[in-house]
Amino acid sequence: MEPLGNPRPYSVCITRNKNCPQNCEYAKYFPYKLQCQYESANELFGTPNIIKMMRHAPEEKKQILATSIIMEGNAWTKDPISGGFGVMQKIMWK
């Protein structure tokens, strides 16, 4: 008999308090090792909105979208006033 779900649920499944299925569609985009970074993105966008964005994105762009979601969440955690725009300004000023 196979165990139910994954031994370490993925970030999206953790925040949704759901059992993570073996073939979780978010596994490759939001792995367990990115849990603390996903929490920042979850505070900014919310898990339902992240899921909507991922469902509407074309398959070839989903990895780019997931990376952008994580980076934007991190940017807002580091700079709650300017967020991603502030990061871009700092890069341009250097």
Side-chain angles (χ1 to χ4, degrees):
M1 185 171 176
E2 282 186 26
L4 294 174
N6 292 316
R8 288 185 129 177
Y10 300 106
S11 301
V12 174
C13 298
I14 289 171
T15 57
R16 293 173 65 201
N17 291 330
K18 302 270 183 177
N19 287 333
C20 194
Q22 289 285 340
N23 57 350
C24 182
E25 62 184 298
Y26 306 107
K28 59 184 173 184
Y29 307 117
F30 304 107
Y32 182 78
K33 65 181 180 178
L34 296 178
Q35 177 61 30
C36 62
Q37 295 177 353
Y38 179 79
E39 289 295 326
S40 301
N42 183 41
E43 287 180 27
L44 180 61
F45 297 110
T47 298
N49 290 330
I50 292 172
I51 291 172
K52 282 181 199 173
M53 287 187 276
M54 293 298 289
R55 285 193 180 145
H56 286 44
E59 192 63 38
E60 64 274 3
K61 303 242 179 175
K62 284 187 178 187
Q63 186 62 52
I64 296 169
L65 175 61
T67 303
S68 297
I69 289 170
I70 294 289
M71 290 177 73
E72 190 71 25
N74 289 336
W76 280 100
T77 299
K78 292 176 185 171
D79 185 0
I81 303 298
S82 302
F85 180 71
V87 171
M88 294 302 295
Q89 278 185 325
K90 289 175 188 174
I91 291 171
M92 291 175 61
W93 288 343
K94 286 185 179 182

